[in-house]
């Protein structure tokens, strides 16, 4: 989807736009012609919005049906989710703005802030990869990060997606980048915010973690490495639970399913660089095509695996080979 920008001083127009962009809401302001500026970037099921309100705006919003995060750059936001206590968010805060299934109300006070929304299914996909996870739907249990460090990491992840991934249309258009970036965001959320993820697996899961499970999963990964996938798709193909799949990879290969998937995709990128034409192929484009959206990390992992920089592999493909 193309980036979207909204800039208006009309209250009715602003209310209509916000109701379409988020959920049905009523707004009120403390000035006659309040300016609202919004920029939205979308990648798969993830949207990152930058908002600037040059006034105090009250709001009352129906449930969004999505996980909604907020990072505040200036001003303040007074927020109350139905059934909860009123909270105030200010500069430097990275918080769960609203859970998917509850209405909320509050006031934005001349604030510049970011809103990140994504499908709750992303949390489930990532939580299924965690060790010792209970077989029940994932729920976020609090608004604020469990520590300052995890809060800073969540802010860096959001800024990276906004400024480096989404700002590059070619990168944001790669299906595997969309898939892995969404998983990165969900993992950062689960690391930062309190949730019910992270408890014991069942005896059935351990029983199913046998070599045949591993073979089915590896065959599926090898055949579909160029398609977006997560732990759920791999587990379904292997005909076991996500937890059993985790145990199988840990027990027999001392890795994770997604770790093995990264290895396979790295090998595919290596093969492309070996046969690529340096005049028509770039390392960055090849890395992005295989889901590696951070060029520096790709180069570091590539060198650790193959003993040379990816550019060396690509350039060597153009050198004449002597008998």
């Amino acid at each position: 989807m193309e980036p979207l920008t909204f800039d208006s001083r009309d209250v009715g127009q602003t209310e209509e736009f916000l109701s379409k962009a988020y959920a049905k809401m009523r707004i009120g302001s403390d000035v006659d012609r309040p300016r609202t500026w919004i920029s939205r970037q979308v990648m798969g099921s993830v949207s990152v919005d930058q908002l600037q309100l040059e006034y105090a705006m009250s709001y009352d919003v129906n449930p969004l049906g999505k996980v909604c995060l907020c990072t505040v750059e200036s001003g303040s936001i007074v927020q109350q989710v139905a059934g909860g206590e009123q909270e105030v968010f200010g500069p430097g805060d990275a918080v769960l703005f609203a859970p998917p299934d509850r209405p909320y109300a509050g006031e934005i006070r001349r604030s510049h802030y970011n809103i990140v929304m994504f499908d709750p299914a992303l949390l489930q996909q990532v939580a299924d990869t965690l060790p010792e996870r209970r077989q029940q739907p994932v729920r976020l249990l609090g608004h604020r990060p469990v520590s300052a460090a995890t809060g800073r990491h969540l802010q860096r992840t959001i800024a990276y997606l906004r400024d480096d991934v989404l700002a590059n249309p070619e990168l944001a258009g790669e299906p595997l980048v969309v898939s892995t970036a969404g998983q990165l965001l969900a993992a950062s959320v689960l690391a930062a915010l309190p949730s019910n993820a992270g408890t014991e697996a069942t005896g059935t899961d351990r029983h199913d973690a046998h070599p045949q499970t591993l073979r089915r999963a590896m065959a599926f990964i090898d055949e579909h490495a160029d398609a977006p996938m997560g732990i759920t798709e791999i587990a379904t193909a292997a005909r076991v639970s996500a937890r059993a799949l985790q145990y199988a990879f840990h027990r027999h290969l001392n890795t994770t399913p997604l770790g093995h998937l990264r290895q396979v995709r790295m090998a595919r990128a290596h093969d492309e660089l070996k046969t690529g034409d340096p005049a028509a192929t770039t390392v960055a484009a090849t890395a992005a095509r295989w889901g590696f959206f951070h060029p520096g990390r790709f180069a570091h992992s590539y060198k650790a695996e193959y003993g040379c920089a990816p550019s060396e592999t690509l350039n060597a493909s153009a050198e004449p080979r002597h008998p």
Side-chain angles (χ1 to χ4, degrees), residues 64-296:
L64 295 173
K66 295 184 178 182
V67 177
C68 182
L69 309 173
C70 177
T71 62
V72 183
E73 297 186 18
S74 67
S76 63
I77 300 175
V78 179
Q79 168 87 329
Q80 184 170 22
V81 173
E85 297 183 357
Q86 187 179 86
E87 297 191 66
V88 179
F89 308 136
D93 279 338
V95 298
L96 175 67
F97 200 58
D101 57 349
R102 295 166 69 186
Y104 59 98
E107 184 178 74
I108 297 166
R109 298 171 175 170
R110 294 173 174 80
S111 183
H112 183 195
Y113 61 106
N114 299 280
I115 290 291
V116 179
M117 296 189 296
F118 62 90
D119 193 320
L122 272 177
L123 289 180
Q124 192 72 44
Q125 290 172 13
V126 171
D128 284 341
T129 72
L130 298 176
E132 310 275 322
R133 201 190 77 74
R134 202 167 33 200
Q135 298 301 308
Q136 65 177 28
V138 175
R139 291 184 297 108
L140 297 173
L141 305 177
H143 294 289
R144 295 186 180 272
V146 296
S147 70
T150 59
R152 288 192 297 270
H153 183 267
L154 178 58
Q155 285 184 309
R156 288 195 298 269
T157 299
I158 291 170
Y160 178 69
L161 293 180
R162 182 192 67 209
D163 300 335
D164 293 282
V165 179
L166 283 164
N168 184 336
E170 291 184 2
L171 198 60
E174 289 290 347
L176 298 190
V177 168
V178 172
S179 174
T180 54
Q183 291 170 5
L184 171 65
L185 174 62
S188 296
V189 170
L190 286 177
L193 298 173
S195 74
N196 66 339
T199 53
E200 251 178 76
T202 67
T204 301
D205 292 333
R206 294 185 176 90
H207 177 268
D208 288 343
H210 46 65
Q212 190 174 356
T213 290
L214 187 68
R215 287 194 294 271
R216 286 197 295 261
M218 291 176 69
F220 178 79
I221 288 172
D222 191 61
E223 185 177 351
H224 299 91
D226 60 345
M229 72 175 75
I231 193 76
T232 303
E233 290 80 9
I234 302 171
T236 299
R239 303 196 292 277
V240 295
S241 71
R243 188 84 297 277
L245 185 71
Q246 284 286 112
Y247 271 97
F249 273 86
H250 178 73
R251 178 182 295 172
H252 302 292
L253 295 179
N254 196 31
T255 187
T256 66
L258 296 185
H260 180 72
L261 174 61
R262 284 191 294 272
Q263 290 177 335
V264 171
R265 287 175 173 168
M266 178 70 74
R268 300 291 174 83
H270 174 65
D271 290 342
E272 283 195 14
L273 292 172
K274 280 198 305 182
T275 59
D277 178 359
T281 303
T282 68
V283 171
T286 300
R289 185 159 48 253
W290 290 104
F292 300 97
F293 52 86
H294 192 295

